[in-house]
Amino acid sequence: MTSELALEFARKIRAREQAVGYWAVLDAPVATERIGRLGYDYVALDAQHGLLGYSGVLNGLMAIDAGHTAAGMVRVEDNNLTAIGKALDAGAVGVIVPLVNTAADAAAAVAAAKYPPMGGRSYGPMRSALRIGPKPADSNAATLVFAMIETPDGLANVKEICATPGLDGIYVGPSDLAIAVGGAFPGDPAIETEFNVALETIAEAAASAGIAAGIHTAAGEVAALRLRQGYTFTTVASDLTHLEQIAKAHLDAARSDAGTKES
């Protein structure tokens, strides 16, 4: 992604304009490149629960950038300097930081993503220097930081987290959030009311702070619903789940009555 596109994406997110992204968990750069050319605003690589290591993140970001369309983001595996710095050095436009429970956690994530004097990121930009340029101030201006709200503490402290200086947005992990509000499993219908109240609380906290509110969704229809409910950016499904769904749909079609009927 060129510096102009990266800066425009950062501007769009910070202006709370709507954006739709895609989630990738597979170490499959060719597939990621094809997805990145479809028109999504961003593609997020999952380095926390995804099936890709650092080389997969690096190759995935290069594949996304090859399309000159989508921004490459990374959900890092942990809230620390090394994990965040490596993702950004590899060329990520933004990082989604998991398990943020307090404003102090959010401040640590911002500090890890920003060069001094804004933060403590170590200088060694590697790929990101090609995309943004070698000046720390330019990188700081273009780098996005999102704190995940997915725990009981994160939900309780969401207003304080949203007020963290330098934080560009929050991002809901719906599976963990469902468990956080008492669900026995993600999607548990027994806590539907509590879950929806939590989603509303989170969106309102972000809006009050003037920062972006993002959320992961299982399908495009759910993504559209969340955007209508006040979320400003939303990510759709994942490459692995879509691969499985499409493969099964074709199998079911091939084994349908019409397909197996003897001639």
Side-chain angles (χ1 to χ4, degrees):
M1 177 172 259
T2 66
S3 59
E4 292 80 9
L5 287 173
L7 287 168
E8 173 57 21
F9 179 70
R11 183 209 62 77
K12 182 174 185 175
I13 292 295
R14 289 169 181 152
R16 290 177 49 85
E17 296 178 13
Q18 291 187 345
V20 178
Y22 194 83
W23 200 255
V25 303
L26 297 176
D27 187 353
V30 175
T32 301
E33 181 182 11
R34 291 172 74 102
I35 290 167
R37 292 173 180 268
L38 292 176
Y40 286 97
D41 295 294
Y42 64 91
V43 177
L45 306 174
D46 188 358
Q48 183 191 24
H49 293 303
L51 307 173
L52 65 174
Y54 180 71
S55 62
V57 169
L58 176 62
N59 290 333
L61 289 170
M62 288 193 290
I64 296 165
D65 286 350
H68 303 288
T69 302
M73 299 214 294
V74 176
R75 198 251 296 265
V76 297
E77 62 265 37
D78 195 13
N79 185 4
N80 66 53
L81 281 165
T82 300
I84 293 172
K86 287 184 73 172
L88 295 174
D89 288 349
V93 174
V95 287
I96 300 170
V97 182
L99 301 172
V100 172
N101 295 315
T102 65
D105 290 343
V110 172
K114 304 291 184 176
Y115 291 115
M118 293 181 65
R121 179 180 170 187
S122 176
Y123 189 83
M126 301 300 158
R127 269 204 78 241
S128 62
L130 302 175
R131 178 175 55 77
I132 296 298
K135 295 181 180 179
D138 293 338
S139 178
N140 285 347
T143 298
L144 296 167
V145 186
F146 303 101
M148 289 197 73
I149 306 297
E150 53 184 345
T151 66
D153 287 341
L155 180 59
N157 296 320
V158 66
K159 290 184 179 179
E160 293 80 6
I161 290 170
C162 287
T164 302
L167 188 70
D168 296 294
I170 52 177
Y171 190 84
V172 175
S175 295
D176 282 316
L177 183 65
I179 295 171
V181 298
F185 52 86
D188 185 352
I191 50 87
E192 182 178 2
T193 298
E194 293 85 350
F195 181 73
N196 287 330
V197 169
L199 291 185
E200 185 176 345
T201 298
I202 293 167
E204 289 177 350
S208 296
I211 63 172
I215 186 169
H216 192 89
T217 64
E221 295 81 4
V222 182
L225 172 63
R226 299 308 181 207
L227 291 173
R228 291 195 299 270
Q229 291 175 332
Y231 282 83
T232 56
F233 70 101
T234 180
T235 315
V236 178
S238 77
D239 47 6
L240 181 60
T241 57
H242 278 162
L243 176 64
E244 181 181 16
Q245 289 168 4
I246 294 298
K248 185 172 188 308
H250 283 290
L251 176 62
D252 291 344
R255 287 181 172 170
S256 66
D257 290 342
T260 58
K261 185 177 180 181
E262 293 184 4
S263 57

